[in-house]
Amino acid sequence: MIFRRFHPLPLVAGVALALLAAQLGSWQLGRAAEKTALQARIESAAAAAPVSPSAQMQVAEWQPVRLHGEWVPAATIYLDNRVRHGRAGYEILTPLRLAGDAGWVLVNRGWTAAGADRAVLPDATPAAGAVTLAGIVRVPQADPFTLSAEAAQGRVWQYLDMERYRALSGLAVRDWIVHQTSAAADGLQRDWPRPDAGIDRHHGYALQWYSLAGLSVVMTGVYVFRRLKS
């Protein structure tokens, strides 16, 4: 009898594995499509003309902006454990009071290396008086991964908690911040990296899953062929 030649477990397992691997491959392609659309939105926003936000104006993330106002240096904070080129340091964030009573915006002015004595913070005093700067809108991560239970210890912060910053500074800063891109004579580095959407990684995973599905089909077919010949 032909049915006696087949043990059901290898056949069922082979078919199930092929279907599962094919579905996972399709899911990875779907993720790649989502990331491609996200990257396109980022590129489109970043290529837009700079705007000068008013008090009620909403801006999209990655939108270029041009800000006019005065720094509030007393409310400067230092984001700790920011590593560049293998060196630990700080990103310096200072609020800017926008001209025309347009409110406050927290500006990430750039990165500086930490000194040998971490108890002594680098001098990051901004220029006094009215300033004009260019930058890119960013939205802080709502729930960043951190090993620290406290967001802030004095002026040194482990991550940016906008609600707590508003409470401690007394400034109603916007929900978004600006990464400064224009030059300034403050010694800070501003080579902001664009995010890697990981599109190629998803394509690579999809190829692996489809390869596994194909291998499972081949192995199952070999099993069936050999059992038929026996």
Side-chain angles (χ1 to χ4, degrees), residues 7-14:
H7 193 288
L9 183 58
L11 187 59
V12 172

Side-chain angles (χ1 to χ4, degrees), residues 84-196:
R84 292 200 178 191
H85 310 297
R87 295 192 63 186
Y90 307 95
E91 289 181 4
I92 313 299
L93 281 76
T94 303
L96 187 74
R97 182 175 183 176
L98 300 178
D101 294 325
W104 292 267
V105 171
L106 192 56
V107 178
N108 190 330
R109 295 165 46 217
W111 178 91
T112 187
D117 184 358
R118 296 299 292 267
V120 179
L121 294 175
D123 182 22
T125 305
V131 296
T132 297
L133 64 92
I136 300 292
V137 171
R138 295 302 314 272
V139 177
Q141 188 175 350
D143 188 19
F145 173 78
T146 178
L147 298 177
S148 176
E150 291 292 332
Q153 293 181 340
R155 301 182 74 184
V156 178
W157 291 52
Q158 299 302 318
Y159 60 92
L160 184 55
D161 182 332
M162 298 299 287
E163 288 298 329
R164 185 167 185 184
Y165 181 83
R166 293 187 187 99
L168 293 178
S169 67
L171 302 177
V173 294
R174 307 289 181 91
D175 291 330
W176 41 268
I177 67 173
V178 169
H179 281 188
Q180 182 177 346
T181 56
S182 55
D186 53 16
L188 301 179
Q189 297 183 25
R190 301 182 180 86
D191 51 336
W192 305 112
R194 287 283 182 89
D196 179 11

Side-chain angles (χ1 to χ4, degrees), residues 42-115:
I42 291 174
E43 297 298 334
S44 176
V51 298
S52 296
S54 63
Q56 303 300 323
M57 182 178 182
Q58 298 295 322
V59 291
E61 188 169 20
W62 299 103
Q63 167 71 48
V65 293
R66 185 169 295 278
L67 305 179
H68 311 275
E70 294 188 11
W71 296 113
V72 186
T76 294
I77 62 173
Y78 293 68
L79 284 185
D80 199 3
N81 296 316
R82 273 31 184 194
V83 178
R84 292 200 178 191
H85 310 297
R87 295 192 63 186
Y90 307 95
E91 289 181 4
I92 313 299
L93 281 76
T94 303
L96 187 74
R97 182 175 183 176
L98 300 178
D101 294 325
W104 292 267
V105 171
L106 192 56
V107 178
N108 190 330
R109 295 165 46 217
W111 178 91
T112 187

